[in-house]
Amino acid sequence: MQSTTTAPAADLWDRVTGTQTAPEFWLVVATGVAALAVVLWGPAWRPARNAVTIAHEGGHGLVALVTGRKLEGIRLHSDTSGLTVSRGRPTGPGMILTALAGYTAPSLLGLGGAWLLAAGHITALLWAATALLLALLVMVRNAYGVLTVLITGGLFVAVSWLADSQVQAVFAYAAVWFLLLGGVRPVFELQSKRRRGGAPDSDADQLARLTHAPAAVWLFFFHAVALCSLIGGGGRLLGRS
């Protein structure tokens, strides 16, 4: 007979690793349209952009750790900017990959999320996102950043535990659509700022100094990753339903 202590754990494991049914096609399209509206409409984009900043700075932090750099901390600001500080060699592959990771992280996370949803792992996606946010929270070093990550993580926890399967599916698809679409706009914003002479220490400019390749090359790379992720991820989301 299965013990009462192991049964809940087994049920939880089955719930996380199991597959769930995708929402109807019109709901998948509707979540994509809603995400696009948030990205394009300024009053909605400004607060929602905090989620993109979390992914951006989290990308810097994760790659810094993976490449052997020491992550000192992450700061998220109310103007939706952010800063990730790591220690290590000021040049070399580790620093280059860390600088590359920021603008590509939201789109690549969205692409990964689209693959999970296409495989039917809706609950796994929600739990993985929660785990990543908790890991990020440990490294945040300012009050606004802590509050932003807590609110975002709390939303994922609430949906994962309290919402029914249909609501979870719609929320997961909306979140992935937002990452895919929201990963595109910041690159255009950066390009516009640089055209006006702003953002002299942007990731593209840092990469230019590290590699001696023009910043325009890295802007093109950021655009390519964002657009290819949107096309590939969007196709997976629409094909799944």
Side-chain angles (χ1 to χ4, degrees):
M1 183 176 67
Q2 189 177 34
S3 69
T4 57
T5 57
T6 58
D11 291 342
L12 182 61
W13 178 253
D14 290 340
R15 179 183 173 190
V16 173
T17 59
T19 58
Q20 294 80 37
T21 305
E24 296 181 33
F25 182 77
W26 73 268
L27 278 173
V28 175
V29 174
T31 56
V33 171
L36 180 61
V38 171
V39 171
L40 293 180
W41 188 43
W45 170 245
R46 279 190 288 273
R49 197 185 193 282
N50 283 291
V52 177
T53 303
I54 289 173
H56 180 117
E57 300 303 331
H60 282 314
L62 176 62
V63 174
L65 290 172
V66 169
T67 56
R69 300 180 62 81
K70 182 179 179 181
L71 184 59
E72 294 289 318
I74 295 172
R75 300 179 70 87
L76 306 171
H77 304 134
S78 59
D79 62 355
T80 71
S81 66
L83 176 66
T84 299
V85 179
S86 62
R87 293 186 181 274
R89 286 185 58 194
T91 59
M95 189 64 202
I96 292 171
L97 290 173
T98 299
L100 269 176
Y103 278 97
T104 59
S107 296
L108 292 178
L109 284 172
L111 181 60
W115 278 91
L116 275 176
L117 293 182
H121 294 297
I122 295 171
T123 302
L125 171 78
L126 296 173
W127 281 58
T130 303
L132 288 172
L133 287 165
L134 288 173
L136 177 68
L137 182 63
V138 176
M139 296 308 302
V140 175
R141 295 292 182 264
N142 66 319
Y144 181 83
V146 169
L147 179 62
T148 302
V149 175
L150 282 175
I151 290 174
T152 307
L155 183 59
F156 274 89
V157 171
V159 171
S160 300
W161 281 100
L162 303 177
D164 61 31
S165 59
Q166 184 75 348
V167 173
Q168 288 183 6
V170 170
F171 178 81
Y173 273 77
V176 170
W177 273 121
F178 178 73
L179 284 174
L180 291 170
L181 292 162
V184 176
R185 178 165 175 169
V187 186
F188 282 100
E189 292 176 341
L190 174 60
Q191 185 174 357
S192 178
K193 288 179 182 178
R194 294 191 73 261
R195 190 181 298 118
R196 298 193 303 268
D201 293 319
S202 71
D203 292 353
D205 292 282
Q206 290 182 44
L207 285 163
R209 291 191 288 269
L210 288 165
T211 64
H212 306 293
V217 170
W218 298 110
L219 277 171
F220 176 81
F221 178 79
F222 294 156
H223 279 300
V225 171
L227 292 174
C228 288
S229 297
L230 175 58
I231 293 169
R236 296 294 294 179
L237 294 178
L238 295 172
R240 161 66 176 167
S241 57

